[in-house]
């Protein structure tokens, strides 16, 4: 009885992958390693953010133009203002039909200015968020969001300037 171990068998490392093992058994060469793509990945288009920016800016510009005209017409009604009992107001029954038409169109233009800005501003705001989230014109998208949020203040300020311009010729008549 001998206590010596049997001689070791030759060591063959196992193949790295199943494909290599199958190729080694079939007598084929191993498959090539990973080859990086030759074409660079395409950068996403910034068109989505650009459209959001243009729509937000258009909402401010168009809304401001309409607001200025509506403000001028509203300001021109100051000539009919009377002061009684410490309050200043306009009595609609004293207005001529042409002046009533001016008052109605001033109200409609003021409403239309904020409606146009509201629709275009909301569109630009939502599309700006989508563009920012999808990284498709992120800078334009962020700018569109800022314009949509602050644009209402701009339109209201321009309305006030229009009102002041329309009322300026009649301010000396108020007592």
């Amino acid at each position: 009885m001998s206590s010596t171990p049997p001689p070791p068998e030759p060591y063959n490392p196992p193949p790295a992958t199943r494909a290599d093992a199958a190729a080694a058994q079939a007598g084929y060469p191993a498959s090539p390693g990973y080859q990086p793509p030759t074409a660079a990945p395409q950068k996403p288009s910034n068109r989505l953010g650009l459209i959001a920016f243009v729509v937000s800016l258009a909402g401010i510009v168009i809304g401001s133009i309409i607001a200025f005209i509506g403000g001028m017409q509203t300001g021109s009604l100051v000539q009919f203002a009377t002061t009684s009992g410490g309050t200043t107001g306009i009595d609609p029954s004293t207005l001529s039909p042409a002046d009533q038409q001016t008052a109605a169109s001033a109200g409609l233009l003021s409403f239309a200015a904020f409606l146009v800005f509201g629709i275009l501003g909301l569109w630009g705001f939502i599309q700006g968020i989508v563009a920012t989230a999808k990284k498709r014109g992120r800078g334009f998208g962020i700018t569109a969001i800022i314009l949509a949020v602050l644009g209402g203040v701009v339109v209201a300020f321009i309305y006030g300037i229009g009102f002041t311009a329309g009322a300026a010729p009649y301010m000396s008549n108020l007592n």
Side-chain angles (χ1 to χ4, degrees):
M1 257 207 221
S2 131
S3 66
T4 60
E9 295 186 20
Y11 176 73
N12 290 331
T17 64
R18 288 186 183 183
D20 292 341
Q25 288 177 355
Y28 296 109
S31 63
Y34 171 75
Q35 297 293 326
T38 57
Q42 290 184 347
K43 184 179 176 188
S45 172
N46 66 348
R47 186 173 294 167
L48 191 66
L50 181 63
I51 291 171
F53 169 74
V54 169
V55 168
S56 292
L57 188 62
I60 292 173
V61 170
I62 295 169
S64 294
I65 291 169
I66 298 171
F68 184 80
I69 296 169
M72 283 190 64
Q73 286 191 351
T74 305
S76 70
L77 296 173
V78 168
Q79 63 183 323
F80 303 108
T82 58
T83 304
S84 64
T87 60
T88 302
I90 298 175
D91 184 15
S93 63
T94 61
L95 296 177
S96 69
D99 294 327
Q100 288 178 356
Q101 184 66 31
T102 301
S105 64
L108 286 175
L109 282 172
S110 301
F111 176 75
F114 287 98
L115 182 68
V116 166
F117 166 73
I119 290 170
L120 293 177
L122 183 63
W123 175 9
F125 180 75
I126 291 171
Q127 191 166 345
I129 290 173
V130 171
T132 303
K134 289 189 172 187
K135 297 180 182 178
R136 292 181 56 198
R138 181 173 249 170
F140 284 121
I142 291 171
T143 308
I145 293 168
I146 292 169
L147 286 176
V149 169
L150 299 179
V153 175
V154 173
V155 173
F157 183 73
I158 298 296
Y159 176 81
I161 291 173
F163 181 86
T164 304
Y170 309 107
M171 291 304 289
S172 62
N173 296 341
L174 287 179
N175 289 328

